[in-house]
Amino acid sequence: MSSFIHHVLVSLLICVLWQEPTLAIKQSYIVYLGSHSFGPNPSSFDIESATNSHYDLLGSYLGSNEKAKEAIFYSYNKNINGFAAILDEDEAAKIAKHPNVISIFLNKKYELQTTHSWNFLRLESNGEIPKDSIWKRSFGEDIIIGNLDTGVWPESKSFSDEGMGPIPKKWRGICQVDNQNQDKFYCNKKLIGARYFYKGYLANNGKGLKNVSFNSARDFEGHGTHTLSTAGGNFVANANVFGYGNGTVSGGSPKARVVSYKVCWSPESGCYDADILAAFEASISDGVDVLSVSLGSFQVEYYETGLSIGSFHAVANGITVVSAATNYGPYLSSVGNLEPWVFTVAASTIDREFNSFVTLGNNKTLKGASFSEMELQPHKMYPLISGADAKYDNASSKDALNCTGGTLDPRKAKGKILVCLQNQDDCHFLCRTNKGVEAARVGAVGMILANDENSGSGIQADPHVVPSSYVNFIDGSYIFNYINHTKFPVAYISKVVTQMATKPAPFIAFFSARGPNPVEPTILKPDITAPGVNIIAAYGEAISPSEQASDKRRTPFSVMSGTSMSCPHVAGLVGLLKSIHPDWSPAAIKSAIMTTATTEDNTGGPILDSSLEKAIPFDYGAGHVQPNRAVDPGLVYDLNATDYMNFLCARGYNSSMLKLFYGKPYTCPKSFNLKDFNYPAITILDFKVGQSINVTRTLTNVGSPSKYTVLIQAPQEFVVSVEPKVLSFNQKGEKREFRVTLSFSPKSKDKSDYVFGRLIWTNGMNSVGIPIALNNPH
């Protein structure tokens, strides 16, 4: 070996031996310790003691309480017991072994559930309440609805407190502003409170995004204003978007008090576990009745996310938590927010459409969706070109067909109507409006969005910056075929028109996530479906309706789609029911809405999916919400904290974990079958050939004394029997148990993986129905 090579090797060896030790990577974690032992109204001493106990626990691992104070950025010290801290992986692993630690998990990021109004109470054209409305006596003025989202635009007319009485005495929250209130954010007797939570976001993003203000609950994204006003916005006459959909708009509980809990700081950065958990804890202390949570979730065990833990504690304190089913449809087991204590809402259409019509040079007219403010010169035909034909020479044909930014040549597209392919799997609202921006950049006079085959019939109206129309796969295929087989293809896009009483409606939105439940299959998810497509509601005026920086338009109302929009519809209904039935538990309210839902559309046929195929309970849960029926369900399938504890026992939680989770000692029953959990659905997905299974349910009377008879719509290939067949109730609050026997009895060669039925108790006036979902062990 030469002396030179020897010298190099020795030098390298010395470098390795003297290399600085690698610093452990620090990340933000949540350490969950369960519940506090003090009651719902802790004293300042209780709160301080809880925080100090967190410092003591973490300090025992980090070497001192001072280091613990530096690491902890949230101490959950009122209702939820735990803390959020910056730790390395080894520290987290050691803390996980502490006997009082139920779980420790990373501070994960969630997404808002908009792919980006239906008047919840059907109003007459003059905006008056229908004379036969059962809601006339109560619009929930005594109810407080909280919203976890991007904040709120307090100046919106939807949050006007005109005509509102004094703030309910049960309210214990605040209207959080910075010391100088530079943002000029004010609450009133309608918007009674607001808080913002950002430490979990900062823990994962350093100094955060530029131009993001962390000292205000103001909504700079529009999403939070839209969802909160959908749940509890006041009546606003002459509400419209660019003149479309004009009428009186209101939230589900128009006179409810509303509170904003800002936990999301931008669509890109998402919303973090630590902030979500802090917001849940604040809402419990503040005294809210309902929480609307239009956030995504993770398909993990229930103690591993802030959303699961926070919602459990909220429900244990009497708060009904309503969540979005998420927008990851239409695939099986894509649903999120899987907790049995949470009310999970899918999205469906309404009987109002915003349409613009595409007329081709061969006189063929096709219907599309649009919310474009701009319009073309009436009845003038324009040259038609696909994105693929308008591409730069060095651009990908696939990217150009999708009208991806920077792929189109203005020399080819200028003055023409541009046709772009739309793939809803990976291209939602911002991606769609990006295509419109690209069309404007290259000088196109208009744009047609055409769904690919996988996206099918799922279309929504978007506020594009150019005249536009969004068509389904079949019509889009016709347009592309016309372009490819016509020497000089031309087209015209009509002005947007509002069409009412459209049929069929509702049908399940393409994007709405589907069951079955991937964490616990015996719990049917989603629970219900509600309006979530082309919803008009209040909007923040810090951002354009297209959410594009180049779009300088501002509007007090906007149209949005997503399970983010369907979730607050149900939250609003929950508020009304809570106002009328203040003694009902969250589970009773949930049952009332589920058991009175419909599985039929406005044609009298079964609810369909976006491909116009028959929808199933994995799409819509118990069915589509029917507000007027939910107020008087007759019977409910009730649940309490003990039932949820037994559920967790069956999931494998031991007594020591449950003591911490519950806040007091709890002994699991010797035997508890998840199939007997008193959920308003029967879901069994592990049937074997030749097997027969018994399940029990308990009904509670919330109506007048009555006798109910069972009706059975048995799933294909199964025999279903119920004992007893008649239930008699003599007074309110009375409970009756029944047993259902399900037996696999194949009579055909049905090869479906799943089969569905329904079990209904009726007294001639009330029909109390629940879905049956079974696997087909063919």
Side-chain angles (χ1 to χ4, degrees):
M1 180 183 298
S2 71
S3 59
F4 173 76
I5 296 176
H6 180 267
H7 176 74
V8 170
L9 289 175
V10 170
S11 299
L12 288 173
L13 179 60
I14 292 173
C15 287
V16 171
L17 291 173
W18 285 92
Q19 186 176 3
E20 289 284 339
T22 303
L23 293 176
I25 297 174
K26 297 279 188 177
Q27 298 184 82
S28 57
Y29 289 84
I30 294 170
V31 180
Y32 177 51
L33 303 168
S35 295
H36 291 290
S37 58
F38 42 70
N41 299 307
S43 66
S44 57
F45 175 79
D46 292 330
I47 293 172
E48 184 179 359
S49 296
T51 299
N52 287 335
S53 71
H54 298 156
Y55 293 150
D56 290 341
L57 190 156
L58 185 57
S60 68
Y61 290 93
L62 300 188
S64 72
N65 281 26
E66 290 305 313
K67 289 183 179 179
K69 290 178 181 179
E70 291 176 4
I72 291 176
F73 57 90
Y74 277 127
S75 175
Y76 307 113
N77 52 21
K78 297 181 179 66
N79 296 281
I80 300 166
N81 189 5
F83 56 88
I86 304 296
L87 306 167
D88 64 39
E89 191 173 344
D90 288 342
E91 292 166 342
K94 291 175 183 176
I95 293 167
K97 297 176 182 179
H98 192 284
N100 289 347
V101 172
I102 294 178
S103 65
I104 181 169
F105 51 91
L106 285 170
N107 175 28
K108 298 181 292 298
K109 182 175 80 171
Y110 296 76
E111 295 178 351
L112 298 167
Q113 294 306 303
T114 177
T115 66
H116 146 186
S117 158
W118 180 61
N119 295 332
F120 192 89
L121 305 173
R122 290 281 185 180
L123 300 179
E124 306 293 353
S125 58
N126 62 1
E128 295 297 322
I129 304 164
K131 293 179 181 178
D132 61 347
S133 174
I134 62 172
W135 307 108
K136 195 170 184 179
R137 64 185 180 275
S138 173
F139 285 103
E141 192 165 349
D142 55 334
I143 296 301
I144 302 173
I145 299 177
N147 190 45
L148 273 65
D149 213 303
T150 63
V152 63
W153 194 260
E155 294 83 3
S156 170
K157 291 182 179 179
S158 289
F159 306 120
S160 166
D161 65 355
E162 184 178 354
M164 301 288 289
I167 294 172
K169 293 181 179 179
K170 65 184 176 182
W171 172 244
R172 301 183 295 271
I174 62 172
C175 187
Q176 185 180 6
V177 296
D178 68 355
N179 292 334
Q180 290 78 35
N181 195 14
Q182 297 176 355
D183 191 38
K184 293 181 172 58
F185 186 103
Y186 298 99
C187 296
N188 57 26
K189 290 185 290 186
K190 173 67 174 175
L191 176 63
I192 62 173
R195 294 179 186 264
Y196 48 90
F197 306 88
Y198 58 85
K199 294 177 182 178
Y201 167 77
L202 286 181
N204 277 37
N205 294 276
K207 295 182 179 179
L209 296 174
K210 294 180 179 178
N211 303 321
V212 174
S213 171
F214 293 107
N215 60 352
S216 173
R218 183 173 293 281
D219 180 13
F220 295 101
E221 307 299 330
H223 190 276
T225 302
H226 198 283
T227 54
L228 184 56
S229 67
T230 301
N234 212 334
F235 294 102
V236 181
N238 301 314
N240 63 82
V241 185
F242 308 136
Y244 308 132
N246 189 63
T248 298
V249 68
S250 78
S253 289
K255 293 300 179 181
R257 316 307 172 120
V258 295
V259 184
S260 175
Y261 296 98
K262 184 173 181 178
V263 297
C264 306
W265 295 90
S266 78
E268 297 81 14
S269 62
C271 332
Y272 284 86
D273 259 323
D275 297 327
I276 291 168
L277 200 57
F280 269 112
E281 178 168 70
S283 72
I284 296 168
S285 297
D286 288 347
V288 305
D289 299 292
V290 186
L291 279 174
S292 184
V293 186
S294 291
L295 307 179
S297 71
F298 297 90
Q299 297 177 335
V300 296
E301 186 53 56
Y302 299 118
Y303 58 76
E304 294 180 334
T305 75
L307 208 157
S308 289
I309 293 167
S311 60
F312 177 88
H313 286 272
V315 171
N317 282 274
I319 300 171
T320 302
V321 179
V322 186
S323 292
T326 75
N327 297 340
Y328 304 124
Y331 308 107
L332 288 177
S333 293
S334 55
V335 65
N337 290 309
L338 307 171
E339 303 80 5
W341 49 84
V342 164
F343 205 167
T344 307
V345 188
S348 42
T349 64
I350 58 176
D351 62 350
R352 179 189 65 192
E353 296 178 355
F354 300 102
N355 296 319
S356 66
F357 296 85
V358 176
T359 301
L360 303 177
N362 61 2
N363 291 323
K364 177 74 171 180
T365 298
L366 306 166
K367 184 176 75 172
S370 181
F371 230 95
S372 177
E373 181 183 15
M374 300 78 175
E375 58 182 294
L376 296 176
Q377 184 176 331
H379 309 299
K380 177 182 177 181
M381 289 290 184
Y382 293 85
L384 190 64
I385 189 170
S386 74
D389 293 332
K391 76 180 190 73
Y392 281 117
D393 293 341
N394 61 349
S396 156
S397 295
K398 179 181 177 181
D399 289 344
L401 183 59
N402 288 317
C403 298
T404 302
T407 63
L408 304 180
D409 188 340
R411 294 171 298 179
K412 298 176 181 178
K414 187 175 182 179
K416 300 176 182 178
I417 293 176
L418 183 67
V419 185
C420 306
L421 190 66
Q422 166 65 17
N423 177 0
Q424 290 206 40
D425 268 351
D426 55 13
C427 182
H428 291 300
F429 179 75
L430 274 175
C431 179
R432 295 196 303 271
T433 56
N434 272 333
K435 296 177 193 287
V437 170
E438 177 69 358
R441 181 188 71 81
V442 297
V445 296
M447 178 184 68
I448 299 171
L449 277 181
N451 267 347
D452 65 3
E453 184 172 9
N454 197 42
S455 303
S457 301
I459 59 175
Q460 298 132 56
D462 296 325
H464 286 289
V465 295
V466 295
S468 62
S469 187
Y470 184 5
V471 300
N472 63 32
F473 168 68
I474 293 175
D475 291 345
S477 297
Y478 186 95
I479 293 171
F480 281 119
N481 185 65
Y482 167 74
I483 291 173
N484 294 334
H485 293 85
T486 305
K487 190 172 184 180
F488 299 108
V490 293
Y492 171 71
I493 300 174
S494 75
K495 181 181 178 179
V496 175
V497 294
T498 304
Q499 295 189 314
M500 304 296 291
T502 59
K503 295 182 178 181
F507 62 80
I508 304 300
F510 171 87
F511 55 78
S512 187
R514 269 59 166 186
N517 186 329
V519 171
E520 180 44 67
T522 60
I523 301 299
L524 180 67
K525 291 291 178 175
D527 293 307
I528 200 83
T529 189
V533 178
N534 297 339
I535 305 302
I536 293 177
Y539 196 66
E541 295 185 50
I543 191 170
S544 72
S546 69
E547 299 181 17
Q548 298 291 334
S550 60
D551 184 359
K552 303 305 179 185
R553 298 174 297 173
R554 297 294 183 268
T555 177
F557 295 89
S558 192
V559 62
M560 300 181 85
S561 298
T563 53
S564 275
M565 284 64 249
S566 57
C567 167
H569 277 89
V570 173
L573 173 57
V574 168
L576 289 176
L577 291 180
K578 185 70 174 178
S579 181
I580 295 171
H581 302 289
D583 58 331
W584 281 12
S585 68
I589 292 173
K590 180 177 178 178
S591 173
I593 296 172
M594 290 178 68
T595 58
T596 58
T598 182
T599 59
E600 294 183 353
D601 63 21
N602 60 359
T603 70
I607 291 177
L608 307 176
D609 63 19
S610 61
S611 297
L612 302 184
E613 300 288 336
K614 183 179 178 180
I616 59 176
F618 292 156
D619 302 329
Y620 54 60
H624 193 275
V625 61
Q626 295 194 107
N628 285 0
R629 291 186 181 274
V631 71
D632 181 22
L635 306 171
V636 296
Y637 294 83
D638 207 357
L639 291 161
N640 57 32
T642 299
D643 296 305
Y644 293 125
M645 298 308 289
N646 290 341
F647 171 85
L648 294 173
C649 287
R651 290 286 303 167
Y653 292 51
N654 59 43
S655 295
S656 60
M657 289 176 67
L658 291 174
K659 179 181 178 182
L660 296 170
F661 207 82
Y662 195 40
K664 53 188 175 182
Y666 190 83
T667 302
C668 287
K670 291 182 179 179
S671 64
F672 180 78
N673 192 331
L674 280 172
K675 295 178 177 64
D676 294 329
F677 184 64
N678 203 42
Y679 211 67
I682 296 173
T683 309
I684 304 172
L685 304 184
D686 57 357
F687 251 105
K688 305 293 189 298
V689 174
Q691 190 176 22
S692 182
I693 294 179
N694 295 324
V695 301
T696 61
R697 290 291 187 274
T698 300
L699 282 163
T700 302
N701 183 34
V702 294
S704 302
S706 193
K707 182 185 293 184
Y708 286 81
T709 303
V710 72
L711 299 176
I712 301 169
Q713 299 170 2
Q716 184 78 13
E717 309 295 324
F718 282 82
V719 173
V720 179
S721 62
V722 175
E723 289 294 336
K725 295 178 174 58
V726 176
L727 297 176
S728 294
F729 297 89
N730 299 316
Q731 59 186 12
K732 276 190 177 182
E734 196 171 3
K735 296 179 183 292
R736 290 286 184 265
E737 183 179 283
F738 64 92
R739 184 179 68 178
V740 183
T741 301
L742 306 106
S743 304
F744 180 61
S745 180
K747 300 174 183 177
S748 68
K749 295 182 179 180
D750 190 331
K751 297 299 181 182
S752 303
D753 290 331
Y754 304 101
V755 289
F756 305 94
R758 199 162 179 84
L759 189 154
I760 304 165
W761 290 96
T762 180
N763 63 357
M765 295 181 61
N766 301 94
S767 290
V768 187
I770 61 173
I772 301 172
L774 309 173
N775 68 302
N776 183 4
H778 50 73

